[in-house]
Amino acid sequence: MCMVGDVPELNIENIEMDLKEYVCLDCENKFKGLGKSVICPACKSSNIEIVSAEK
Ligand SMILES: [Zn+2]
């Protein structure tokens, strides 16, 4: 008898929202945005940069 109880359990917790953190280069306001055309909610500037958050 050969019992194979080798069930790999992959926890796929990769369901994250496409929410990224941005910083405004004009007023240094940090905010979270999503989508392609993200603007600063404080000064309405599109001069923003994605804050790279490494896990
Ligand atoms: Zn701003």
Side-chain angles (χ1 to χ4, degrees), residues 13-22 31-38 48 50-51 53 55:
E13 291 187 10
N14 211 5
I15 309 172
E16 274 183 36
M17 283 202 296
D18 219 6
L19 204 61
K20 286 171 184 165
E21 198 167 329
Y22 294 87
F31 59 96
K32 287 182 179 176
L34 120 121
K36 291 175 184 175
S37 53
V38 182
I48 56 169
I50 295 178
V51 180
K55 287 182 179 177

Side-chain angles (χ1 to χ4, degrees), residues 1-2 5 9 19-20 24-25 27-28 31 33 38 41-42 46-47 53:
M1 281 295 185
C2 190
E9 228 173 276
L19 204 61
K20 286 171 184 165
C24 176
L25 299 179
C27 67
E28 296 185 2
F31 59 96
V38 182
S46 59
N47 192 17

Side-chain angles (χ1 to χ4, degrees), residues 24 26-27 29 40 42-43 45:
C24 176
D26 283 349
C27 67
N29 176 40
C40 172
C43 68
S45 171

